[in-house]
Amino acid sequence: MKQIPTLDGWRGIAILMVLADHATIAALQRYPHPWMRIGLHGVTLFFVLSGFLITSNLLAGPIDLKKFYIRRFFRLMPTAWTFLAALLLLNLSGIHCTSWREIRGCLFFYRNFQGNLGTAGHFWSLSIEEQFYLVWPALLLLFGVRRCRWIALAGAASVAAYRFAFWRHYEQGLLYTRTEVRADALLLGCMFALLRNDPAIREKLNRWSELLAVPAAGAFLIAIATSYTLQPLWESAAVGALLIFTSLHPAALVSRLLEWKPLAWLGTLSYTIYIWQEPFTVFHGKWLFVAGGFIFPAFVLASHFLVERPMRKFGRRIAENQRRHRVLEAAPQTG
């Protein structure tokens, strides 16, 4: 798929929202105003982005599940496993920060159903994404683009209806991390990508997205100001509309701002930042400044350049080699 430059900028905004939320709690031990709980909205933005990007990548060529899963594995698991290994080492050193129960939940992608266990609590969102990766590519391969538009729309609407019916229940504790009340953001991202891929629909989106951009931005801000634990369906729809607008109108001012190099670079680091940020929220006072300003960036850069980037390249190489091997096996033998 041809790279969409604005997506890194959106990732940068999403991770800034998460960091601002967690820094507020670490520094003040509370939210001075309810609307300052913006981390969950940043995660919603990440979810819509993931659905949009993964679907766009799958539509770029024949769907090859083996290649997809090889690349996803080496994109996500090495960094995540390095973090989990670090937690286990801290445990062995006498600093108890996790448990084997939590580690299992992270490794097998059900951490979002376990509640409050330890320092890997933020893996709830990664678990939902991994569950999505296990299901969505196969659906797209089996049912095709047209049917999957309706599957994504029906799935998102069903999740939203269920969440609305049991809103008060899922606002309690950490129940808001469960897949059944979060998956609509991913599914709407998928639907927007499927619509954008159709040339006829894309032409209409090109016109309508200009008219909807400002209302969509307003709707996203209203959602931040009024929804603190669970996010409504229209928030994800607003995010999807903004992704469509900025991807189809690269010359617009907001699109150029999203391509600002520092913001885009932050977006490329967003996965590693998200993985490593949780332990540093336990510091307070001057130690928060030292840990957040110096130690945390050092861990992020080391993990990105020593683990994430090399493993991503290795995964691409393996995926490409298996594709070539399959092509050679399928080629007719001569001589």
Side-chain angles (χ1 to χ4, degrees):
M1 184 193 76
K2 184 179 178 181
Q3 186 178 7
I4 302 174
T6 56
L7 295 189
D8 280 336
W10 283 117
R11 286 195 195 94
I13 290 174
I15 197 61
L16 282 173
M17 294 173 73
V18 172
L19 291 177
D21 182 309
H22 292 180
T24 298
I25 284 294
L28 305 177
Q29 302 300 296
R30 64 185 182 89
Y31 296 106
H33 303 284
W35 59 264
M36 295 181 74
R37 191 176 184 179
I38 59 175
L40 291 172
H41 299 280
V43 173
T44 296
L45 178 50
F46 271 129
F47 282 167
V48 180
L49 273 166
S50 290
F52 186 85
L53 180 60
I54 291 300
T55 303
S56 298
N57 285 337
L58 289 168
L59 294 173
I63 296 175
D64 184 333
L65 292 182
K66 186 176 181 180
K67 179 181 177 181
F68 172 82
Y69 287 120
I70 289 173
R71 294 188 63 168
R72 281 290 93 191
F73 178 88
F74 284 100
R75 167 71 176 91
L76 301 174
M77 292 301 103
T79 302
W81 288 1
T82 301
F83 173 79
L84 295 175
L87 294 188
L88 289 175
L89 286 174
L90 287 174
N91 270 19
L92 292 174
S93 69
I95 304 173
H96 183 75
C97 53
T98 189
S99 63
W100 281 110
R101 182 186 172 200
E102 181 174 51
I103 295 295
R104 285 195 300 271
C106 296
L107 292 176
F108 294 103
F109 318 137
Y110 62 89
R111 179 65 185 85
N112 61 313
F113 291 99
Q114 289 184 306
N116 189 14
L117 293 177
T119 314
H122 58 306
F123 271 57
W124 71 267
S125 59
L126 301 179
S127 293
I128 293 176
E129 291 215 19
E130 296 297 342
Q131 295 159 20
F132 161 71
Y133 296 146
L134 290 173
V135 174
W136 178 250
L139 288 177
L140 194 55
L141 179 63
L142 288 172
F143 294 103
V145 171
R146 290 185 178 275
R147 289 190 183 94
C148 278
R149 288 179 197 162
W150 294 107
I151 290 172
L153 180 60
S158 299
V159 170
Y162 178 81
R163 180 176 57 235
F164 182 78
F166 298 98
W167 191 283
R168 290 187 180 276
H169 171 72
Y170 282 99
E171 280 189 312
Q172 302 173 49
L174 293 176
L175 293 177
Y176 63 83
T177 65
R178 291 177 176 259
T179 309
E180 65 267 24
V181 290
R182 287 289 176 187
D184 56 322
L186 284 156
L187 290 168
L188 275 189
C190 297
M191 189 193 71
F192 276 107
L194 292 168
L195 293 175
R196 184 182 181 276
N197 186 67
D198 187 301
I201 297 177
R202 180 171 175 159
E203 185 178 342
K204 295 177 182 178
L205 289 174
N206 195 49
R207 294 196 305 269
W208 282 98
S209 61
E210 287 188 277
L211 299 175
L212 295 175
V214 173
F220 186 44
L221 292 175
I222 291 171
I224 292 173
T226 58
S227 302
Y228 310 129
T229 303
L230 295 171
Q231 281 71 57
L233 181 67
W234 50 267
E235 176 177 348
S236 298
V239 170
L242 290 171
L243 293 182
I244 290 290
F245 171 72
T246 54
S247 67
L248 294 180
H249 298 276
L253 176 60
V254 65
S255 300
R256 296 202 304 271
L257 290 174
L258 287 166
E259 293 179 34
W260 184 47
K261 287 185 178 180
L263 182 62
W265 184 68
L266 188 66
T268 63
L269 293 173
S270 59
Y271 176 66
T272 305
I273 292 172
Y274 188 81
I275 289 291
W276 285 97
Q277 47 83 34
E278 189 77 11
F280 295 91
T281 62
V282 303
F283 293 95
H284 309 298
K286 65 179 181 180
W287 291 110
L288 175 63
F289 174 77
V290 172
F294 298 97
I295 303 174
F296 173 53
F299 269 85
V300 167
L301 292 174
S303 180
H304 179 72
F305 288 106
L306 299 179
V307 179
E308 182 181 351
R309 285 184 63 177
M311 288 296 100
R312 286 182 70 179
K313 290 179 181 178
F314 184 63
R316 288 195 196 103
R317 201 155 56 238
I318 292 178
E320 186 59 27
N321 287 340
Q322 71 87 26
R323 185 191 68 81
R324 288 175 181 170
H325 181 70
R326 191 176 62 252
V327 170
L328 288 173
E329 284 186 334
Q333 301 297 315
T334 60

